[in-house]
């Protein structure tokens, strides 16, 4: 459940290179090979933005701006606006029309107070400089740790906080700026106190200094904006490797601090004490994905202990402090709703060199809020043996939480299949419940038994809770109505459907805040009606696109009434949160108040209050358009059909002012990412809205609208495995069929030049791109593949949604790998990868080896490795260079494409080539879902995480 009063701004995980002191900025290095030429080593020296910050644990933060925007010095950068051929001068920047969009200042994030009477504007900067990514980091147990800050590395931050009172008419009062902070303070982990009178947050200042770069906890008075340190001693620092701090009550926090007795970090022995040995003499079956940054030896174990160990401290606003428990690696702090207990998770040895820290031995304990040990709930052993099959889980107690509707009642789940999804058993999961301090001999109560895998609970009261279960292989999802306080009321099915069937999605129950600060299902009272109503907030998927809605749903009868719906003609609106839950008890329908977002194709997202009974609308924000130069871009959601009858969807973007009848066809960039489905019907459903605002990220394909490209964004590439069929067994065939349909459609519309269509993607989309160039070269002039995995044999224990091993599906692994078809790739391909990619499966080595295979067959290819970057690119220098490389590639091999001599192909010629399956590859394959011939097309993807790093 989203706790709308809390804003735990956790860390954005950017990866660093080697743990050295700040290094000089190394430019990206390039290898470019011309087709059928000798290897030419010309290495050169030297989404949409959602502004509401979920008031719960936020996994990432966007970097926020100021003067230090990572601008690249003129000594190492050349403006590539007019000269894409000048190479080898370090980092480059794209033309101004692209650069200006990327450098546009970001809008602030928003956070509402627990009582919905105040709002924080969290101010952000633009892209960070590469120097921030170049900071030393330790790669330990699947984490990347900044030793100077004692936090996750590459943590972004806020630059300022401004608080506004929300007036009765919905407008804002004057800003109260949080003041008293050190100059240049970098703000993280912003959290409201339960009574909304204070804010807590961390700050760090001078990252060159070993002490001031560490995080300290600060408190600010919401009314005055005055900020001060929480601890009177300046030598108490936050340990933010795992959890950081939590409000225990209105005036006390429990903080993870760096132990005051901790000395310097352990030193790596110059001479090892012996060989590195791993053994499986017990013949255990341990299959794991290609995890990265794992512990390697005893020194790594000691270093992990050093940085991850915290001393918990109870700190009051009056300055008093008290140590809480012994030092340990605390990973989670969770106070009970009545503030009497704290559930504390920790991890301990023995560690593993095979799996990341999330599978290390885990202990869960109960303590009183004043620091007295109550009892141990569980001590789970090392979990190296979780099967790779989807829906497999850890053995023992899991998902241990507090009931949101009770003062201090615990609930948890235990698997009955040993955690192995391949084991057939009924029930598969059992949900238990028990008081924090049970009476002697009091056993846990069975709340519910499930035959699928447990997926969560929405609590309301003793008469109502909703229990969710699902099974990935069948895509089945079920919602149960249970009465936790009435054993004589049997559970009943509320919804039983396919997760892929978005048209049948009834929506999710909306939650309201309790006085204890928890969130439960909001019960609605309708005047003159004794029905038991809840609010269902749904995406409203239809064949014409999403039309979000809010339904008043009778939980007893299943009857529903639509009380709010998004505009269908011009706008796309969604319900963000309830705003009328300040009082206990059922909410009155005629006094309902919600927060909605509203946007259109050309108008960026704004937020509004909507109040019943007359549904009065008050606009809350007035953010400026982030890129006015593209405000009049053209957007259309288009439908077309694959040869096997599957209906496909894509979003077609055209430049401002473009007219196909007078301007003719444009160069086109197709950017996509394949998806997996169990049925043709589900794959054919429309997802998204034609009225959504065109959010343009820093590496978005939509940037090329500024260079007069047509952009086919997100054309559906469904890989379907119906019944017992495995989708990936026909991956290439379905990939090519989907791409053929998309290309034929944009050519038929007259918006894309048949010889000037490029294809690109990130991560699994890069895998797709390489496969399309190998198996459907007749469709595209060139390709751009970022942070992909190209050789499936390097991920032998599964990838993406494939849970068969290499030895169980050898042919599939080989046929899907574009590495194995490197000899078939004749069209120009640009490979980009982050040097420090830590995404499972997409090791930087994937691009290195693929490039080697391509140049070994004389392919026209180029490899760009971005220093310090991970799976997703972060630094301004890196992003600007990626855009320059992309622009150069598109200009040279798409806009100026003369690869195939002869007259321009008309639509008839293209259709004929597609229908005949003419490609540069020799082999032909039969379409996955029909008898038509198709090109063998290997496509694959690894979850996108890394971007640019420069290396050969």
């Amino acid at each position: 459940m989203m706790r709308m009063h809390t804003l735990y701004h956790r860390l954005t995980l950017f990866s660093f290179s080697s743990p050295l002191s700040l290094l000089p900025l190394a430019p990206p290095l390039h290898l470019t090979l011309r087709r059928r030429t000798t290897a030419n080593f010309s290495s050169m020296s030297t989404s949409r933005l959602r502004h509401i910050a979920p008031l719960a644990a936020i996994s990432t933060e966007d970097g926020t701006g100021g003067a230090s925007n990572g601008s690249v010095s003129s000594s190492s950068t050349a403006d590539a606006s007019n000269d894409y051929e000048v190479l080898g001068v370090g980092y480059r920047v794209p033309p101004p029309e692209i650069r200006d969009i990327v450098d546009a200042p970001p809008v602030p994030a928003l956070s509402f107070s627990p009582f919905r009477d105040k709002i924080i504007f969290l101010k952000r900067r633009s892209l960070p400089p590469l120097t921030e990514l170049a900071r030393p980091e330790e790669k330990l147990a699947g984490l990347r740790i900044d030793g100077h800050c004692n936090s996750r590395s590459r943590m972004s931050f806020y630059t300022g906080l401004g608080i506004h009172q929300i007036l009765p008419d919905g407008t804002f009062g004057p800003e109260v700026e949080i003041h008293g902070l050190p100059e240049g303070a970098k703000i993280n982990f912003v959290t409201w106190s339960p009574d909304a009178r204070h804010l807590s947050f961390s700050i760090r200042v001078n990252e060159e200094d070993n002490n001031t770069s560490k995080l300290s906890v600060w408190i600010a008075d919401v009314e005055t904006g005055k900020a001060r340190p929480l601890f009177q001693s300046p030598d108490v620092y936050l340990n933010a490797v795992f959890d950081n701090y939590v409000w225990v009550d209105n005036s006390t926090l429990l903080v993870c601090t760096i132990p005051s007795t901790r000395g310097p970090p352990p030193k790596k022995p110059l001479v090892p004490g012996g060989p590195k040995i791993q053994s499986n003499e017990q013949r255990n079956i341990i299959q794991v994905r290609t995890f990265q940054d794992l512990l390697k030896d005893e020194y790594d174990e000691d270093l992990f202990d050093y940085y991850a160990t915290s001393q918990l401290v109870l700190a009051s606003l009056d300055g008093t402090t008290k140590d809480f428990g012994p030092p340990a690696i605390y990973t989670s702090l969770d106070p009970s709703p009545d503030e009497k207990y704290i559930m504390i998770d920790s991890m301990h040895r023995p560690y593993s060199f095979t799996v990341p820290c999330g599978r290390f031995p885990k202990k869960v304990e109960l303590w009183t809020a004043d620091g007295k040990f109550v009892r141990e709930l569980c001590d789970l052993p090392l979990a190296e043996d979780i099967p790779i099959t989807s829906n497999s889980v850890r053995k023992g107690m899991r998902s241990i939480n507090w009931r949101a509707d009770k003062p201090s009642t615990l609930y948890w789940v235990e698997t009955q299949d040993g955690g192995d999804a391949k084991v057939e058993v009924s029930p598969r999961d059992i949900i238990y419940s028990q008081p924090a301090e049970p009476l002697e001999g009091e056993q846990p109560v069975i709340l519910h038994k499930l035959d699928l895998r447990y997926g969560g609970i929405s609590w309301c009261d003793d008469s109502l809770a909703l229990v969710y279960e699902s099974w990935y292989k069948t895509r089945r999802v079920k919602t149960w109505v249970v009465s936790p306080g009435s054993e004589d009321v049997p559970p009943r099915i509320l919804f039983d459907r396919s997760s892929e069937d978005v048209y049948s999605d009834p929506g999710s129950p909306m939650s309201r805040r309790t006085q204890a600060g928890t969130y439960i299902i909001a019960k609605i009272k309708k005047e003159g009606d004794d029905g038991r109503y809840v609010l269902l907030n749904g995406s409203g998927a239809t064949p014409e696109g999403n039309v979000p809605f809010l339904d008043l749903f009778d939980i007893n009868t299943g009857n529903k009434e639509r009380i709010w719906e998004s505009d269908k003609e011009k706008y796309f609106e969604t319900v963000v949160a309830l705003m009328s839950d300040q009082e206990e008890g059922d909410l009155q329908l005629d006094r309902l108040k919600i927060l909605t977002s509203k946007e259109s194709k050309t108008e960026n997202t704004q937020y509004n209050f909507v109040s019943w009974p007359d549904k009065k609308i008050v606009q809350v924000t007035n953010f400026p358009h982030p890129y006015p130069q593209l405000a009049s871009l053209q957007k259309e959601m288009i439908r077309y059909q694959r040869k096997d009858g599957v209906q496909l969807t894509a979003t077609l973007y055209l430049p401002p002012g473009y007219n196909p009848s007078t301007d003719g066809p444009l160069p086109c960039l197709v950017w996509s990412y394949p998806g997996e489905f169990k049925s043709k019907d589900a794959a054919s459903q429309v997802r998204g809205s034609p009225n959504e605002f065109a959010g343009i990220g820093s590496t978005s394909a939509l940037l090329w609208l500024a260079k007069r490209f047509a952009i086919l964004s997100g054309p559906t590439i469904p890989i379907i495995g119906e019944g017992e069929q495995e989708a990936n067994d026909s991956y290439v065939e379905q990939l090519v069929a989907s791409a053929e349909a998309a290309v034929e459609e944009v050519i038929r519309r007259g918006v894309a030049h048949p010889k000037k269509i490029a294809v690109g993607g990130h991560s699994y989309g890069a895998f797709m791109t390489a496969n399309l160039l190998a198996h459907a070269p007749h469709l595209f002039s060139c390709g751009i593949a970022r942070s992909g995995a190209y050789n499936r044999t390097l991920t032998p224990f599964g990838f993406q949604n494939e849970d068969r091993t290499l030895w169980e599906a050898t042919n599939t692994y080989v046929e899907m790998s574009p590495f194995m078809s490197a000899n078939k790739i004749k069209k120009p391909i640009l490979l980009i990868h982050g040097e420090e990619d830590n995404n499972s499966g997409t090791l930087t080595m994937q691009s290195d080896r693929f490039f080697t295979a391509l140049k070994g067959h004389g392919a026209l290819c180029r490899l760009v490795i971005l220093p310090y970057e991970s799976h997703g690119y972060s630094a301004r220098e890196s992003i600007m260079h990626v855009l320059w490389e992309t622009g150069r590639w598109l200009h040279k091999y798409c806009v100026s494409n003369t690869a195939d001599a002869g007259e321009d192909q008309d639509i008839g010629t293209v259709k004929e080539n597609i229908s005949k399956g003419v490609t540069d590859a020799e082999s032909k394959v039969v379409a996955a879902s029909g008898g038509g011939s198709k090109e063998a097309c290997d496509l694959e993807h690894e979850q996108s995480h890394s971007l640019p790093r420069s290396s050969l």
Side-chain angles (χ1 to χ4, degrees):
M1 299 295 296
M2 189 190 306
R3 303 188 67 180
M4 288 293 293
H5 71 290
T6 307
L7 197 70
Y8 295 154
H9 284 287
R10 299 193 187 279
L11 325 169
T12 297
L13 304 184
F14 310 140
S15 45
F16 293 79
S17 65
S18 56
L20 306 174
S21 57
L22 291 182
L23 301 175
L25 302 185
L29 301 182
H30 321 286
L31 284 179
T32 304
L33 294 205
R34 307 291 177 183
R35 187 169 62 169
R36 307 191 192 286
T37 63
T38 307
N40 173 22
F41 291 85
S42 50
S43 63
M44 310 308 158
S45 58
T46 21
S47 357
R48 132 126 355 153
L49 180 60
R50 287 292 181 187
H51 315 302
I52 292 293
L55 308 184
I58 294 181
S59 59
T60 61
E61 292 177 19
D62 293 328
T64 60
S68 176
N69 64 353
S71 57
V72 186
S73 65
S74 58
S75 62
S76 63
T77 305
D79 191 328
S81 303
N82 302 309
D83 186 6
Y84 279 123
E85 294 307 312
V86 179
L87 304 177
V89 291
Y91 284 97
R92 307 299 300 273
V93 294
E97 52 265 53
I98 301 289
R99 189 167 67 238
D100 291 347
I101 297 173
V102 176
D103 278 338
V107 299
L110 308 180
S111 167
F112 288 90
S113 69
F115 305 115
R116 311 291 193 266
D117 60 342
K118 295 182 178 65
I119 186 172
I120 309 175
F121 281 68
L122 301 106
K123 301 166 187 179
R124 309 186 286 187
R125 66 169 182 184
S126 54
L127 298 173
L130 191 59
T131 51
E132 291 192 8
L133 272 66
R135 288 172 52 81
E137 67 180 354
E138 304 291 347
K139 301 173 183 177
L140 301 167
L143 307 179
R144 294 188 172 181
I145 298 172
D146 185 327
H148 290 304
C149 295
N150 218 104
S151 67
R152 303 289 179 92
S153 60
R154 309 185 184 205
M155 201 165 61
S156 58
F157 54 89
Y158 297 108
T159 58
L161 306 175
I163 304 175
H164 293 266
Q165 184 80 28
I166 301 175
L167 304 178
D169 61 359
T171 59
F172 292 163
E175 181 181 70
V176 176
E177 184 176 2
I178 300 300
H179 60 278
L181 303 176
E183 184 177 355
K186 300 177 179 180
I187 303 169
N188 292 96
F189 310 121
V190 182
T191 311
W192 292 92
S193 65
D195 61 5
R197 296 179 58 190
H198 294 89
L199 292 177
S200 58
F201 49 89
S202 71
I203 66 166
R204 52 197 158 103
V205 188
N206 180 11
E207 294 187 348
E208 300 295 331
D209 186 286
N210 216 21
N211 285 325
T212 55
S213 64
K214 290 185 171 63
L215 283 70
S216 57
V217 183
W218 281 59
I219 299 295
D221 185 287
V222 170
E223 293 300 324
T224 66
K226 174 65 177 176
R228 62 176 176 82
L230 172 64
F231 294 100
Q232 295 180 355
S233 168
D235 298 323
V236 180
Y237 298 106
L238 185 67
N239 187 336
V241 170
F242 288 106
D243 212 344
N244 40 75
Y245 52 80
V246 64
W247 286 91
V248 175
D249 55 37
N250 292 330
S251 60
T252 310
L253 294 94
L254 183 61
V255 185
C256 293
T257 68
I258 298 173
S260 59
T261 57
R262 192 180 77 172
K267 293 185 177 180
K268 189 176 183 65
L270 294 177
V271 178
K276 299 177 182 179
I277 299 174
Q278 297 187 58
S279 175
N280 191 35
E281 296 181 40
Q282 299 80 18
R283 299 191 178 187
N284 296 321
I285 297 177
I286 298 175
Q287 300 178 351
V288 296
R289 296 291 178 103
T290 49
F291 298 121
Q292 300 194 52
D293 300 337
L294 301 177
L295 299 177
K296 299 179 292 295
D297 51 31
E298 292 182 2
Y299 168 72
D300 276 359
E301 291 181 310
D302 292 342
L303 205 59
F304 178 71
D305 280 338
Y306 177 83
Y307 287 115
T309 298
S310 295
Q311 172 63 61
L312 297 181
V313 175
L314 272 177
S316 297
L317 298 186
D318 63 8
T320 61
T321 62
K322 172 186 175 182
D323 285 356
F324 188 112
I329 300 178
Y330 296 107
T331 59
S332 176
L333 313 174
D334 188 8
S336 61
D338 63 2
E339 301 177 348
K340 291 183 178 180
Y341 303 94
I342 302 177
M343 181 167 55
I344 299 178
D345 295 5
S346 62
M347 63 177 59
H348 59 83
R349 297 188 182 224
Y351 300 145
S352 170
F353 300 156
T354 304
V355 295
C357 60
R359 297 193 186 183
F360 287 178
K362 174 183 177 180
K363 183 182 294 185
V364 183
E365 298 175 332
L366 280 187
W367 292 67
T368 62
D370 59 357
K372 297 182 177 64
F373 177 77
V374 177
R375 65 182 175 119
E376 180 183 288
L377 297 178
C378 65
D379 191 352
L380 303 177
L382 179 66
E384 289 183 326
D385 59 348
I386 300 176
I388 62 173
T389 308
S390 298
N391 290 121
S392 294
V393 296
R394 190 172 194 159
K395 302 171 188 175
M397 298 173 67
R398 70 180 199 279
S399 300
I400 309 173
N401 289 291
W402 297 106
R403 274 187 59 169
D405 62 328
K406 291 290 184 181
S408 53
T409 298
L410 295 161
Y411 71 97
W412 67 90
V413 186
E414 294 187 32
T415 180
Q416 306 301 299
D417 57 13
D420 188 349
K422 290 184 178 180
V423 174
E424 295 295 335
V425 64
S426 178
R428 189 174 293 277
D429 273 339
I430 297 179
I431 306 171
Y432 295 94
S433 180
Q434 189 178 50
E437 292 193 74
L439 301 175
E440 186 176 352
E442 183 179 1
Q443 296 300 309
V445 174
I446 294 178
L447 180 66
H448 194 36
K449 297 180 179 181
L450 303 171
D451 285 337
L452 306 182
R453 189 62 80 199
Y454 168 79
I457 301 180
S458 295
W459 297 97
C460 184
D461 53 32
D462 272 339
S463 68
L464 175 63
L466 299 182
V467 179
Y468 309 99
E469 61 175 332
S470 64
W471 199 248
Y472 177 75
K473 277 294 185 182
T474 61
R475 308 301 198 271
R476 190 179 184 186
V477 291
K478 297 165 69 175
T479 303
W480 293 85
V481 177
V482 299
S483 298
S486 304
E487 295 184 10
D488 57 335
V489 179
R492 62 182 176 88
I493 289 287
L494 184 64
F495 304 120
D496 187 351
R497 48 183 292 274
S498 169
S499 61
E500 292 184 338
D501 183 10
V502 293
Y503 292 169
S504 71
D505 187 352
S508 302
M510 294 208 70
S511 298
R512 50 91 37 89
R513 184 181 184 271
T514 69
Q515 289 187 351
T518 62
Y519 280 78
I520 62 173
I521 297 173
K523 293 173 70 174
I524 306 299
K525 190 72 173 177
K526 190 176 180 183
E527 187 174 355
D529 191 331
D530 294 331
R532 190 165 59 152
Y533 293 100
V534 300
L535 294 173
L536 294 182
N537 182 11
S539 60
T542 74
E544 289 72 43
N546 289 0
V547 183
F549 63 83
L550 192 62
D551 280 351
L552 187 66
F553 182 78
D554 190 319
I555 204 76
N556 292 328
T557 67
N559 295 330
K560 57 187 177 182
E561 173 190 351
R562 187 140 300 178
I563 62 172
W564 179 90
E565 187 174 68
S566 171
D567 176 87
K568 300 178 183 178
E569 301 303 321
K570 180 180 179 182
Y571 291 101
F572 176 71
E573 301 168 284
T574 62
V575 177
V576 179
L578 277 175
M579 303 297 291
S580 54
D581 55 357
Q582 292 87 349
E583 298 179 2
E584 288 291 284
D586 295 353
L587 305 183
Q588 299 296 321
L589 179 60
D590 60 1
R591 286 187 282 171
L592 190 66
K593 183 178 179 181
I594 60 175
L595 178 72
T596 65
S597 66
K598 184 177 183 179
E599 61 198 84
S600 73
K601 296 177 184 179
T602 58
E603 298 173 49
N604 54 307
T605 303
Q606 306 293 352
Y607 294 93
N608 302 296
F609 292 136
V610 181
S611 302
W612 270 252
D614 55 357
K615 299 181 185 178
K616 178 184 177 182
I617 298 175
V618 176
Q619 185 168 324
V620 176
T621 60
N622 188 24
F623 297 126
H625 197 292
Y627 20 87
Q629 59 271 57
L630 294 179
S632 59
L633 61 81
Q634 303 173 51
K635 175 186 176 183
E636 181 183 0
M637 184 176 286
I638 62 175
R639 305 279 331 256
Y640 50 98
Q641 184 171 296
R642 204 164 74 176
K643 289 181 181 179
D644 59 1
V646 176
Q647 293 292 319
L648 305 177
T649 309
T651 304
L652 177 63
Y653 292 91
L654 298 170
Y658 170 73
N659 186 330
S661 61
T662 57
D663 298 338
L666 299 171
C668 178
L669 175 58
V670 178
W671 198 271
S672 193
Y673 191 102
E676 194 172 300
F677 294 88
K678 287 301 293 182
S679 75
K680 291 183 181 180
D681 289 343
S684 296
Q685 293 183 355
V686 176
R687 292 161 174 82
S689 167
N691 295 325
E692 288 182 87
F693 180 67
I696 302 179
S698 58
T699 57
S700 170
L702 300 186
L703 288 166
W704 304 105
L705 289 167
K707 297 298 289 183
R708 307 296 293 176
F709 268 73
I711 307 296
L712 193 66
S713 177
T716 48
I717 309 284
I719 310 301
I720 304 167
E722 295 190 307
E724 296 301 317
Q725 294 179 338
E726 294 285 350
N728 283 338
D729 289 349
S730 56
Y731 173 86
V732 169
E733 298 93 324
Q734 296 193 61
L735 178 69
V736 173
S738 298
E740 287 176 338
V743 168
E744 183 175 338
E745 179 64 16
V746 292
I747 294 175
R748 183 192 68 78
R749 289 171 170 263
V751 298
H753 192 293
K755 291 174 58 180
K756 298 181 180 182
I757 301 177
V759 63
H762 189 91
S763 196
Y764 206 51
F767 178 75
M768 171 203 74
T769 298
N771 268 306
L772 284 173
L773 294 187
H775 303 292
H778 59 295
L779 297 178
F780 302 106
S781 62
C782 64
I784 300 164
R786 301 192 320 221
S787 300
Y790 309 103
N791 184 350
R792 280 303 126 201
T793 68
L794 296 178
T795 56
F797 290 108
F799 57 92
Q800 211 63 6
N801 294 318
E802 179 60 68
D803 54 19
R804 295 172 294 174
T805 71
L806 169 64
W807 299 272
E808 294 169 327
T810 304
N811 289 340
T812 296
Y813 272 67
V814 171
E815 290 169 5
M816 286 184 71
S817 298
F819 180 86
M820 302 300 180
S821 298
N823 61 315
K824 299 178 182 179
I825 296 179
K826 310 302 180 184
K827 294 297 179 71
I829 183 169
L830 172 64
L831 303 175
I832 302 176
H833 217 118
E835 189 173 34
E836 301 296 329
D837 192 335
N838 63 347
N839 182 54
S840 176
T842 54
L843 295 81
T844 307
M845 174 180 64
Q846 289 272 8
S847 286
D848 288 332
R849 293 188 175 180
F850 188 39
F851 178 74
T852 300
L854 290 167
K855 72 180 182 182
H857 291 89
L860 198 167
C861 53
R862 181 175 173 88
L863 171 64
V864 178
I865 302 295
L866 300 166
Y868 305 115
E869 293 289 356
S870 184
H871 193 60
Y873 318 139
S874 305
R876 184 179 186 275
E877 293 90 336
S878 303
I879 287 170
M880 291 298 178
H881 191 86
V882 166
L883 296 174
W884 180 84
E885 291 282 356
T886 303
R888 174 183 178 273
W889 208 251
L890 292 174
H891 176 78
K892 190 166 187 178
Y893 300 112
C894 181
V895 176
S896 305
N897 177 37
T898 57
D900 298 319
E903 299 179 4
D904 289 348
Q905 302 177 68
D906 59 20
I907 181 61
T909 304
V910 172
K911 284 185 175 180
E912 181 180 359
N913 286 347
I914 291 177
S915 65
K916 290 181 179 179
V918 178
T919 72
D920 289 338
E922 294 82 34
S923 60
K924 295 182 179 180
V925 296
V926 178
S929 305
S933 65
K934 280 193 189 287
E935 305 306 328
C937 167
D938 282 331
L939 188 61
E940 218 260 3
H941 143 81
E942 210 36 66
Q943 298 179 356
S944 90
H945 281 295
S946 60
L947 260 201
R949 183 254 298 162
S950 298
S951 257
L952 292 180

